[in-house]
Amino acid sequence: MATRQGQGGGAAARAGGLDFPRPLTTVDIVIFTIRLEALHVLLVRRGQGEGEPFPDAFALPGGFVDVAKDADLEACARRKLAEKTGVVSPYLEQLGSWGSAHRDPRGWSATHAYFALIPASAAEAALAADAQWFPLAGMSVKPKLAFDHAEILQAAVRRLRNKVEYTSLPAYLMPEEFTLPELQRTYEIVLDRPLEKSAFRTRMLSADLIEPVAKMRKGPNRPAQLYRLKAAAAPVYFARTFNAPE
């Protein structure tokens, strides 16, 4: 009987002399952005074809590893990210792996999860027809998620919020140009708490992260200096976590 390499689902796979059942192997991506003053995650609606588990339910974007296209797990994650959003994420990080005999009714399966950050300016790009943004309430979303994707989503939110306490990750959620108050507000949305303005400004300006542009943002108050992320800027790690206002 023919088998699908990398997607054996319990069938014997024979390649290079190997003869043992292989699990289903997938990559799933938790894609975050800021929309409407809230942290959002991208979900996709599953198909209703014959044999599809969790038909018509929402799930994280992802799919099977393609051994002909994907050189490694990150390549698979980037391919799926591009398919669902049409953009290249400025930040992608491996989150962890989940596997068991029961998470997928089709057979023993393992998924390797990543999380990605997309600027708000790119969040409305050409999404796949089955993709939709959902706001986070705490560490969950309103739709019930397929497989164990609710658990994976919670792990991603915890990882993001923990790292935001001492890194510059929210800068990857910003548009090409932004003000310091806008950057601070993005931090506050992700952390779900206010930050002390003066200390935040000092930390951002002293980090090798952003640079001013020759423009000002006009508004009802005095004009505000615009900044941009430095080219190829790696995440900055701070010595202390961020303080709330006193």
Side-chain angles (χ1 to χ4, degrees):
M1 182 173 65
T3 61
R4 295 177 298 168
Q5 293 184 21
Q7 303 174 19
R14 295 175 176 83
L18 299 178
D19 187 357
F20 57 88
R22 295 187 182 184
L24 302 166
T25 304
T26 60
V27 167
D28 290 305
I29 317 165
V30 186
I31 306 171
F32 293 113
T33 197
I34 301 292
R35 301 176 71 246
L36 306 174
E37 285 284 294
L39 186 63
H40 280 63
V41 64
L42 191 69
L43 300 178
V44 295
R45 190 182 290 276
R46 293 186 55 78
Q48 303 181 46
E50 183 178 355
E52 284 285 348
F54 304 98
D56 207 37
F58 280 100
L60 297 170
F64 289 113
V65 172
D66 188 325
V67 296
K69 294 180 180 179
D70 303 322
D72 52 31
L73 293 173
E74 183 174 324
C76 181
R78 292 192 181 280
R79 177 171 60 84
K80 291 297 179 181
L81 179 65
E83 289 175 358
K84 296 303 180 183
T85 68
V87 301
V88 175
S89 171
Y91 187 82
L92 180 70
E93 177 181 322
Q94 190 167 13
L95 178 65
S97 297
W98 281 255
S100 76
H102 310 293
R103 63 179 302 274
D104 190 324
R106 294 170 292 190
W108 213 111
S109 72
T111 192
H112 306 279
Y114 285 75
F115 80 88
L117 305 178
I118 290 182
S121 53
E124 305 303 331
L127 294 179
D130 59 352
Q132 184 177 341
W133 292 107
F134 284 87
L136 280 154
M139 292 196 298
S140 62
V141 288
K142 188 174 182 179
K144 184 177 180 180
L145 300 186
F147 306 103
D148 49 5
H149 288 188
E151 178 183 343
I152 296 173
L153 174 59
Q154 290 177 5
V157 175
R158 283 194 296 268
R159 172 77 65 85
L160 176 62
R161 286 179 173 157
N162 286 341
K163 294 195 76 168
V164 167
E165 287 283 3
Y166 60 89
T167 72
S168 61
L169 288 194
Y172 296 109
L173 293 166
M174 302 305 296
E176 185 175 348
E177 297 176 353
F178 52 86
T179 66
L180 281 176
E182 289 168 347
L183 180 58
Q184 179 173 339
R185 181 58 187 148
T186 297
Y187 266 84
E188 292 173 338
I189 289 171
V190 176
L191 291 173
D192 197 26
R193 62 181 174 84
L195 299 177
E196 203 283 315
K197 180 179 179 180
S198 178
F200 179 87
R201 181 181 181 87
T202 299
R203 185 173 297 191
M204 290 298 110
L205 293 179
S206 63
D208 188 27
L209 175 68
I210 61 175
E211 59 187 8
V213 298
K215 294 181 185 178
M216 303 291 282
R217 172 73 51 79
K218 295 182 179 179
N221 301 314
R222 65 180 182 179
Q225 175 65 54
L226 284 167
Y227 294 85
R228 65 187 175 199
L229 193 64
K230 287 188 175 181
V236 174
Y237 290 80
F238 304 113
R240 301 183 308 279
T241 58
F242 287 93
N243 298 325
E246 295 183 355

